[in-house]
Amino acid sequence: MPNRSLPSPSASLDESAARKTEALDSLAAILPALAGPDRTDQLVALLSEEDIATLRHLAREGIGENSLRALTSDCSYLEGWCLAATGEPLPWPAPVPLILKFIAHHLWDPERRKIDPAHGMPENVALALEDLKLLRKAKGDGAHRSPHALATVQRRLASWSTLHRWRGLEAAFSAPDVRSALRLASRVAGRPKARKSRRAVTADLLERLLATCNGSDLAAPSLADLRDKALLLAGFASGGRRRSELAGLRLSQVVWEDPLPADPADPDSPLLPAASLRLGRTKTEDASDDNAVLLIGRPVEALRTWLEAADIDEGAVFRAIDRWGNVKARGLTPQSVNSIVKSRCVLAGLDPVEFSAHGLRSGFLTEAANRDIPIQDAMQQSRHRSLAQASSYYNDAGRSRRRSARMLG
């Protein structure tokens, strides 16, 4: 009788890694952020085949690119954290004690941590996460680590719950103990919510950035100048579009409209060029929603100038340009949009640390408040769904004009 040897454990692991790599390659076609050997190797090491199958299912269901990217990142973090904290892979469904441990490891009292290094995330867990490149290295000794941002913890818990739901599993994230622990931990974590951009790019600052796109006395604007000018103007005027929306904008989403009067109350006022941007799926809206926004005047002129100069008649609107001035077929990444804003800040003599691409979004709403434009009007352009979120920019803009703050002036 012939000997039939069983496959070695290492052979089984190699086969599993190959299957996961193949599955991730197909997922990367939908989500380019997963592309690249380093990222694939990291995800193969962290994610199970079931995790990847769930993510592929979500991709087929049409989950937005940003949401899918966040779910992938959160799933890999959760798997890595559980392995570091318990020595075991992430169990499905997750028991309440494990969820409570996750909250305790990420939200803690910074003052208590100074006198009790065991409070919060254990140092060995933090170091393991650093080795997995899931956590930034701490500055100074471990006793001075900071708790994670509440919004990050809440998002990861929400992602954990979503992954349960898509696996058809009951989740315990609404259990009384979990809700109570999260509420108490959020009170003592002591980390204020930070703006995505410390400063808003209001109209006066926008003009300073645009001035860096005009070329010089000795040279006409370069292709990069024309692209960045169109990006800044269209990004701001369209309601402060998110960097992912600008990076993903396609020419098929741009509809050239008939010219419109400069003063809507005066049909005989000078006519200005107009265009609509059909945004499709965004962070808060489905592709089926009527979420077009209108551009009028300078942004339309800048957009036309860029498209004509770059000879773009289809595909991505805002594209990479190599060091020799060649326009690439691929669109910018969201990170590139952020880098463009920061580089223009440097050229304008502004501190790039103070600004990010989100400053265009906050700047649009801040400028609308400064000009006493009704918030409902501004929200139609910005496509904010939350009145509370949009009004926070209006409140910030109006703080310096409050009469109530001048009673003892």
Side-chain angles (χ1 to χ4, degrees):
M1 191 171 181
N3 291 327
R4 293 184 179 179
S5 59
L6 295 173
S8 67
S10 61
S12 298
L13 288 173
D14 289 343
E15 291 174 4
S16 175
R19 288 194 298 269
K20 289 194 283 186
T21 299
E22 183 179 357
L24 283 168
D25 285 344
S26 64
L27 189 58
I30 304 169
L31 189 61
L34 300 187
D38 291 343
R39 182 65 169 142
T40 298
D41 290 346
Q42 182 191 38
L43 294 177
V44 166
L46 290 170
L47 301 181
S48 67
E49 291 188 57
E50 291 77 13
D51 292 334
I52 297 172
T54 301
L55 293 169
R56 291 182 69 190
H57 173 71
L58 290 168
R60 288 194 298 270
E61 289 293 314
I63 297 296
E65 183 177 322
N66 287 345
S67 298
L68 188 58
R69 184 187 298 111
L71 282 168
T72 303
S73 174
D74 291 341
C75 186
S76 60
Y77 181 87
L78 290 165
E79 288 281 11
W81 167 80
C82 187
L83 189 63
T86 70
E88 300 289 338
L90 197 64
W92 299 89
V96 168
L98 186 65
I99 301 173
L100 295 176
K101 181 188 285 289
F102 180 82
I103 294 172
H105 279 198
H106 293 83
L107 296 174
W108 65 77
D109 184 348
E111 294 303 315
R112 172 75 178 276
R113 176 82 175 197
K114 292 177 182 178
I115 60 175
D116 180 9
H119 180 67
M121 182 180 288
E123 188 64 11
N124 66 307
V125 175
L127 291 174
L129 291 174
E130 287 179 5
D131 290 341
L132 292 170
K133 298 182 180 179
L134 295 173
L135 189 66
R136 292 178 181 174
K137 292 187 179 296
K139 297 178 180 179
D141 59 57
H144 297 291
R145 291 187 185 275
S146 298
H148 285 220
L150 176 61
T152 301
V153 175
Q154 290 174 327
R155 191 199 72 222
R156 283 180 173 150
L157 290 173
S159 294
W160 205 355
S161 177
T162 297
L163 292 166
H164 274 76
R165 187 168 65 253
W166 282 97
R167 287 178 177 221
L169 299 173
E170 289 292 330
F173 296 93
S174 296
D177 288 349
V178 173
R179 291 203 309 269
S180 177
L182 187 60
R183 183 173 62 254
L184 293 173
S186 65
R187 291 177 182 174
V188 300
R191 185 167 174 171
K193 184 176 180 181
R195 293 282 193 197
K196 294 179 181 178
S197 180
R198 293 184 189 177
R199 291 182 62 186
V201 181
T202 47
D204 57 328
L205 295 177
L206 178 65
E207 293 298 340
R208 290 178 63 178
L209 300 187
L210 293 173
T212 70
C213 303
N214 292 334
S216 67
D217 294 337
L218 301 177
S222 66
L223 280 173
D225 290 331
L226 297 178
R227 178 200 62 192
D228 294 357
K229 183 175 184 178
L231 178 74
L232 291 168
L233 280 167
F236 181 95
S238 58
R241 298 274 48 89
R242 302 175 182 89
R243 60 183 186 174
S244 59
E245 294 165 9
L246 291 170
L249 186 66
R250 314 287 290 184
L251 191 55
S252 59
Q253 295 173 255
V254 181
V255 179
W256 306 110
E257 306 283 0
D258 292 333
L260 293 170
D263 182 355
D266 180 8
D268 295 325
S269 61
L271 294 178
L272 299 176
S276 293
L277 302 185
R278 303 194 181 280
L279 302 177
R281 180 187 290 277
T282 68
K283 181 179 178 181
T284 58
E285 296 178 297
D286 292 329
S288 58
D289 293 337
D290 180 18
N291 56 353
V293 295
L294 191 63
L295 298 179
I296 301 174
R298 275 201 300 164
V300 181
E301 294 171 349
L303 194 57
R304 280 190 183 277
T305 299
W306 154 245
L307 292 172
E308 291 172 2
D311 197 22
I312 296 173
D313 55 14
E314 63 178 353
V317 170
F318 299 114
R319 304 186 178 191
I321 301 172
D322 67 23
R323 58 181 175 174
W324 296 284
N326 300 312
V327 179
K328 299 297 186 179
R330 69 177 186 274
L332 295 174
T333 64
Q335 293 78 13
S336 297
V337 173
N338 199 52
S339 296
I340 287 170
V341 172
K342 287 182 173 293
S343 65
R344 291 296 167 180
C345 286
V346 172
L347 293 173
L350 300 170
D351 184 356
V353 175
E354 296 288 319
F355 297 90
S356 73
H358 193 267
L360 295 173
R361 189 160 178 79
S362 58
F364 171 82
L365 287 169
T366 302
E367 190 64 31
N370 288 336
R371 300 188 185 196
D372 295 322
I373 294 172
I375 191 170
Q376 294 83 0
D377 187 334
M379 288 176 65
Q380 285 293 316
Q381 190 76 347
S382 69
R383 308 305 298 174
H384 272 88
R385 283 193 168 184
S386 168
L387 179 61
Q389 186 177 25
S391 63
S392 68
Y393 297 104
Y394 269 61
N395 291 338
D396 286 348
R399 183 180 294 122
S400 63
R401 295 183 291 171
R402 290 176 187 159
R403 295 177 61 192
S404 58
R406 292 175 166 79
M407 288 190 293
L408 296 179

